[in-house]
Amino acid sequence: MRLLIQRVSEASVTINNRKKSSIKKGLLLLVGIEESDTKEDIDFMCKKTIYLRIFDDENGVMNKSILETDGEILVVSQFTLLASTKKGNRPSYIRAAKPDVSIPLYRQFCITLSEMLGKPVQTGEFGADMQVQLINDGPVTIWIDSKMRE
């Protein structure tokens, strides 16, 4: 599982010219799911996200988590995070899980994240053509791969 985490002052998802979800201060998560992902990957990624200290404290130092700032989370599925550009110029998405695997894992990721956050997370729509808008705060952008735990 891959996450691209962006600290935002606001973010939204629009589908067919209709705003589906929006948040103010918090995190926009772009999520890519692989065939080999499991509940263990979900738990690891949710804990990392919830406890990641990337919000400023009273001294302007990134020392607070999303829990400590009462921020919001917007989760958007994005299979292109698993693109391989090793050969040629056209990305391969062979590592991305098929919908029968990725949809249940994506849903479980959102449920687990919401439970850990203590409030609902906003979402895009799996498989839809979405327009994602954001104002990256900082900018702060973090990439995490559950298969490359550092």
Side-chain angles (χ1 to χ4, degrees):
M1 181 176 284
R2 287 188 180 167
L3 286 183
L4 185 70
I5 301 171
Q6 297 184 65
R7 186 178 77 182
V8 298
S9 53
E10 63 183 69
S12 65
V13 172
T14 301
I15 303 168
N16 295 326
N17 296 317
R18 185 182 59 82
K19 190 174 282 188
K20 181 184 185 305
S21 301
S22 64
I23 63 168
K24 294 294 182 192
K25 183 177 178 169
L27 300 173
L28 170 64
L29 306 181
L30 303 178
V31 182
I33 298 171
E34 295 183 62
E35 290 284 338
S36 62
D37 286 336
T38 65
K39 179 148 178 25
E40 182 180 298
D41 294 290
I42 290 170
D43 292 342
F44 172 79
M45 296 300 245
C46 287
K47 285 177 187 170
K48 272 292 185 191
T49 300
I50 292 297
Y51 296 111
L52 199 60
R53 298 184 325 180
I54 59 173
F55 291 92
D56 291 348
D57 64 15
E58 55 281 347
N59 298 315
V61 176
M62 285 196 289
N63 202 28
K64 290 189 172 188
S65 71
I66 189 83
L67 289 172
E68 297 168 293
T69 62
D70 195 36
E72 299 177 282
I73 297 178
L74 173 58
V75 182
V76 177
S77 62
Q78 188 164 358
F79 73 93
T80 59
L81 285 178
L82 296 161
S84 172
T85 58
K86 187 175 182 178
K87 289 178 23 182
N89 294 316
R90 183 174 184 190
S92 168
Y93 304 106
I94 193 100
R95 289 182 53 199
K98 305 291 183 261
D100 63 317
V101 171
S102 56
I103 291 172
L105 289 173
Y106 171 76
R107 287 183 180 149
Q108 186 58 55
F109 176 82
C110 292
I111 290 167
T112 302
L113 194 61
S114 179
E115 289 170 352
M116 289 182 177
L117 185 62
K119 60 185 172 184
V121 298
Q122 300 298 308
T123 64
E125 184 177 310
F126 193 94
D129 182 15
M130 298 175 273
Q131 286 68 54
V132 179
Q133 293 184 308
L134 68 131
I135 297 176
N136 191 317
D137 181 22
V140 174
T141 303
I142 311 261
W143 181 81
I144 302 174
D145 190 314
S146 66
K147 306 297 190 258
M148 300 170 66
R149 300 179 188 186
E150 299 174 324

